[in-house]
Amino acid sequence: MDPNNNNPRTAPSALNKPVKVLCYVNHYFGPSPGKAVYHSNVQAPDVRKTYVLNTKAALEKLSTVDGVGRVDVLVCGIRGKSLVPIDIDFSGLEDPRHLVYESLCYMTRYLDDYDYFINVEDDILVPPEVLVNVLEFDKSSMINECLHPNRTEVAEGKKVIQDIDMLGPRMWTFQEKTYKGRTIRVALNPHSGLLILSQPKFRYCLENIDLKYRGDFLYAAMDSAFAYFHKSFSLYRPFRDPDFHFVIHQDRCHPSWGLRLVPGTSPLERFRRLFRRGAKRVAVQS
C-alpha cells in the first residue's frame, strides 16, 4: 500500500500517481468435462485464436487512458490446450472449467503491486472507455459499489445486451441510482464475462469470500467464478442503455442472431433454464 495514503480504501484513481493495471485473459481450447459446452469445444481454431489476440490487444490499449501507467496483460491457461502462448500455466488443474476460479485466486498474490485488476474471458473486448468510467466512478463510490459493464454483441450495425436481454422482462432489480445523469441499476444476472476491481475493492472482496470455494451455481463454473467474487458488491449497470459502459462479446450467443448452440435448444431457452436452476443455489454462497 502507498504509505502516503492514510485511507486504505481510497480509490487509486484519486491519488496523484499513475495507475498500474494487471490483466488476466482466461484462455482454454479443448474438450471440457461435464455438461457445459463452451465454444472452445467446437469453434474453428483460427476463429478462436483471432478472438484471443483481439482481447489481448484491446487490454494493452488501456495504457492510453489518461492517468494510467503500466498495464500488464497475461494469458492464463493450460499448455497444450491453447492457441496462443500461455504466461501463467495451470496444467495441474483437473477441471479446466475452474480456470477462472484459479486465475482469480492467483491474481490475489499481486494485490500490493497493482492498483486495478481485470480478469476476463478470452473473447471479451474491453474498450478504453470502460476503464475511464470505472476510474471516475470509484472516486466517489462506496466500497461495495461497482460500475459494471453490460456485455454486448455487435453485428451488421446492430448492438444487443446479451446477459440482460436473455432473462426477459424480469431482468432488473429495483436497486438503482443516478450517475452523471444516467440511470444505473443492479441486474439479476451478475455476469458480464469479466471482473474489474480496484485494489481496495479487491481486498474488500477477499474479506467476504472463501478462496477455496469452487462451486457451480450460476450457469456454469466460469460464470459462477465471476459471480462468486462479485457477490459482496452492488453491480450497477447502465439501465437499458447499450451505448454507455459496455464490453463486446466477440462470439454471438444472443437469441436475436437466430443461432442454436445445442441441437434442439436455443441459447435463450438454455440460458433461462440453467439460470433458474442456479438461482435456487445462490443462497448457499452466503
Side-chain angles (χ1 to χ4, degrees), residues 113-280:
D113 301 323
Y114 294 87
D115 303 302
Y116 271 83
F117 300 84
I118 300 177
N119 194 296
V120 65
E121 296 176 12
D122 66 0
D123 60 356
I124 298 292
L125 300 179
V126 182
E129 293 79 9
V130 168
L131 183 56
V132 171
N133 294 334
V134 170
L135 292 174
E136 186 64 25
F137 181 81
D138 282 355
K139 290 178 181 178
S140 58
S141 65
M142 299 177 65
I143 193 67
N144 67 333
E145 294 179 327
C146 294
L147 186 61
H148 200 48
N150 283 318
R151 183 170 65 156
T152 66
E153 295 179 358
V154 181
E156 300 176 354
K158 179 181 178 181
K159 182 189 294 178
V160 294
I161 303 176
Q162 183 196 352
D163 300 291
I164 302 302
D165 288 352
M166 293 180 105
L167 287 179
R170 297 180 180 177
M171 54 188 133
W172 298 97
T173 70
F174 293 104
Q175 185 180 359
E176 72 174 32
K177 62 194 298 184
T178 301
Y179 175 68
K180 292 194 170 182
R182 301 176 183 269
T183 299
I184 54 176
R185 183 180 285 194
V186 176
L188 288 175
N189 184 8
H191 190 62
S192 280
L194 81 167
L195 172 145
I196 305 178
L197 292 179
S198 67
Q199 184 194 95
K201 290 186 179 183
F202 209 162
R203 291 186 184 279
Y204 174 76
C205 161
L206 298 181
E207 294 172 5
N208 294 281
I209 64 171
D210 179 0
L211 288 178
K212 296 179 181 179
Y213 178 79
R214 296 294 182 274
D216 180 353
F217 64 93
L218 179 71
Y219 190 29
M222 178 176 63
D223 315 67
S224 297
F226 285 125
Y228 184 66
F229 273 70
H230 277 131
K231 74 170 193 168
S232 54
F233 296 99
S234 294
L235 302 177
Y236 286 100
R237 302 171 181 259
F239 181 53
R240 295 177 179 171
D241 182 355
D243 297 319
F244 172 66
H245 199 57
F246 62 89
V247 296
I248 298 172
H249 187 217
Q250 297 178 80
D251 272 332
R252 296 196 174 86
C253 299
H254 192 280
S256 68
W257 308 128
L259 303 176
R260 289 181 177 269
L261 304 183
V262 177
T265 305
S266 73
L268 174 60
E269 294 164 348
R270 187 165 65 105
F271 183 89
R272 283 179 174 168
R273 183 176 68 249
L274 291 170
F275 187 90
R276 285 195 297 266
R277 185 187 69 187
K280 295 178 181 179

Side-chain angles (χ1 to χ4, degrees), residues 32-67:
S32 298
K35 297 180 180 180
V37 178
Y38 297 122
H39 278 181
S40 62
N41 296 85
V42 296
Q43 199 164 49
D46 58 333
V47 172
R48 197 69 190 182
K49 182 177 181 179
T50 299
Y51 287 169
V52 180
L53 294 176
N54 289 343
T55 295
K56 285 189 63 182
L59 292 170
E60 289 165 353
K61 288 182 180 179
L62 297 180
S63 62
T64 64
V65 172
D66 287 344

